[in-house]
Amino acid sequence: MCSPSMCAKKKGAEKPSGACYTPAQLAYIAKVEADVAVQLAAKPKRLAHSISVASTAESMALMYGADPFLARVSGLLHDWDKVVPDDELIERARALELDFEGADYADVKPLLHGCVAARELPERYPELPDEVWHAISVHTTAGYKMSPLDKILFVADGIEPLRPSSEGIEATRTLGGRAPLDDVVWNS
């Protein structure tokens, strides 16, 4: 991340959200966005959701002092495996020996995509830190001792602007930046 004064010196380095990235980070984000667009091409609404989660996570990272680059990339990649057929996702979870405390994989299908992606994508993106993979793995389940990035992705997935409005979602959206991050998580 760079300072706002550095952004002023680097044409195009600042995103509309106020995040400031190096040219290498901007190129990396563009690469990940392009990869996600290919991966989710069969589900345009899922692609739009992932882009919206990335933007929301980036904004929340700026509000709560987390790394906006890691938040944006986590948001882009969080639903990578949502296009995988259920039977294949279950087989991949079984092969990875994911632990859902004895639950049958068929009973936790909606939770598998993040955990499978978090175990498989580091091979594709080895330069990303474990923090990204942990956030992706818990974005549907939450977890014990969540990091700020974990919390940001968890909340951003639920409140991104393309989600249909509800009383609970609106209440959580209004807390963003006004309440401590833990309060926002508990409200979501």
Side-chain angles (χ1 to χ4, degrees):
M1 195 166 63
C2 53
S3 70
S5 61
M6 289 173 69
C7 285
K9 296 174 188 173
K10 294 180 181 181
K11 186 174 182 173
E14 189 167 353
K15 305 258 320 152
S17 65
C20 185
Y21 299 117
T22 66
Q25 287 175 316
L26 287 171
Y28 195 84
I29 290 168
K31 175 193 178 312
V32 172
E33 285 178 351
D35 291 350
V36 170
V38 170
Q39 176 70 9
L40 301 180
K43 293 192 174 184
K45 287 183 180 179
R46 181 62 53 190
L47 174 59
H49 164 74
S50 292
I51 293 168
S52 187
V53 169
S55 178
T56 302
E58 177 185 65
S59 295
M60 288 183 68
L62 291 168
M63 286 181 219
Y64 291 104
D67 186 324
F69 173 76
L70 296 181
R72 184 166 193 87
V73 172
S74 297
L76 287 167
L77 294 170
H78 84 285
D79 274 351
W80 181 272
D81 279 336
K82 277 294 232 178
V83 295
V84 175
D86 287 345
D87 291 344
E88 181 184 339
L89 198 56
I90 289 170
E91 285 308 311
R92 287 164 57 186
R94 189 170 285 120
L96 292 166
E97 299 179 355
L98 295 179
D99 181 15
F100 279 90
E101 298 185 14
D104 187 279
Y105 292 128
D107 294 335
V108 293
K109 281 187 293 191
L111 309 178
L112 294 178
H113 69 281
C115 297
V116 171
R119 291 281 297 278
E120 294 178 344
L121 285 175
E123 190 172 307
R124 185 177 184 131
Y125 302 101
E127 55 284 330
L128 290 175
D130 289 343
E131 183 179 6
V132 167
W133 310 123
H134 190 267
I136 290 170
S137 74
V138 299
H139 86 270
T140 57
T141 61
Y144 182 68
K145 292 188 178 182
M146 291 172 69
S147 73
L149 182 61
D150 296 343
K151 294 172 187 178
I152 286 166
L153 185 59
F154 179 77
V155 172
D157 188 36
I159 67 166
E160 58 91 0
L162 298 178
R163 283 249 185 235
S165 184
S166 72
E167 188 175 322
I169 288 173
E170 289 306 317
T172 303
R173 285 175 178 157
T174 61
L175 287 176
R178 294 186 181 128
L181 183 55
D182 285 341
D183 292 352
V184 179
V185 171
W186 282 109
N187 192 75
S188 64

